Amino acid sequence: MTPKAVLDYLASHEERFIEELFAYTRIPSISAQSDHAGDMQRCAEWLVDRCVKAGLKADIRKTSGYPVVIAKSPKPDPKKPTFLVYGHYDVQPPDPLELWTSPPFEPRRVGRNVYARGISDNKGQHLAHINSVEAWLKTGNELPCNVNFLIEGEEEVGSKSLYDFLPKNAKELACKALVVSDTEIPSMKHPALCYSLRGMAPIEIRLDGPDRDLHSGLFGGAVDNPAIVLCQMLGSLRNKKGRFTIPGFYDDVIKLSAYERKQMAKVPFNETKFRKSVGVGALFGEAGYTPNEQRAARPTFELNGLTSGYQGEGGKTIIPSWASAKITMRLVPDQNPKKVITLVKKHLKAICPPTVKLTVTEGQGGGPYMVDPTGPLAQACMRAAKAGFGHECVLARGGGSIPIIAAFKQHLKADSLMLGLALPDDNAHSPDEKFSLDAYMAGMKMAAHLWPELASVP
Ligand SMILES: [Zn+2]
């Protein structure tokens, strides 16, 4: 049970929590731009101060890149379970500046929204957790579990230093599970536990035909056109029902359970609104699945770029010498990127005619991720979210990837419980990024309830 004093403390300190959110987002901690290195250090220092004020033990840890901030329960009890909150204090570059209504590092409040770069992704979200721990500690209540924080400064540029830091500090960071607030909820009425993410497998396909571009009048008809062959090969990979024809592609896909489908159907979805929001006349997707299922629970084979022949001004009558395609596949549990790429290569080889030479280059991929949504930790999260938001928590799958989550599983042997506070219109990575103060306050309440809920899991 969460003591009433903890919840009262959160409510009565709302204005100060908002002021601190303003102060935090005023620091332009842009990890991608080296001229902000000083701001990155200042931001990490601000965060350490904030954690210390909350009653935590906190310090800055040097890495090969930007520092990591570690904060810990003041009196860790080895008999209690430990949970680790992960977040990132770095932000995306704000460019293009002219598309912002007000300066990105001058937070602007409009009603219950605050506009600033990095406020939703991810400063506001992990600050809510720090505030919740403060409420427990400052009201003299003992936390029912040990709560530690790992806040990095390179999430927006690939977390390179954290990948080195994790294995070296795995003992210190040991935990029963991680709590990550960096995902979306469908609305304030639909808090959500994100229990699965898609993985990714990138490849590039290149077909080489004649050793130079040829005159289409002198050679056309007798020499094959690599661009047409590529289109034919790619076109044959998807049937009219939206299914991919690569043998074995779906073999390791875990079937959606009736419980999951029921849960996913609780998330409101307006097809017309969605269709209009992306500017298409009709939606397309694998038959037998809803758009939300297609976007997060089914694998895709997406053609990202197609290059061949002449693309300059006017025309040029040639048979191009080569054609290439950039592809990324989004994979779902339990597909393995290496295995899927091997299947794709084998199939492409089988369907490639002898008139062209096929080369497939592999990029750096990452596996999909899933926590059992019916497991006790997931269910504890859903109860905490319901208590914080005042609405039933839904289960959601994320269509994108958070590669560091797989690294947590590998090095800390712990699952990540994703309880995001971002709303669909928060404009993360875009101009006019915003964060809802209602989500901030509900998130603090949720976080306050989370510790007794998670601690009660045997
Ligand atoms: Zn981001």
Side-chain angles (χ1 to χ4, degrees), residues 88 90-92 118 120-122 155-157 182 428-429 433:
H88 62 93
D90 65 323
V91 306
Q92 282 276 318
S120 173
D121 178 16
N122 169 259
E155 195 271 348
E156 301 292 7
V157 289
D182 202 10
H429 295 208
E433 178 176 349

Side-chain angles (χ1 to χ4, degrees), residues 100-117:
W100 283 77
T101 309
S102 53
F105 296 104
E106 236 344 289
R108 175 175 58 100
R109 182 170 172 176
V110 183
R112 293 296 284 168
N113 286 327
V114 180
Y115 294 82
R117 170 55 90 224

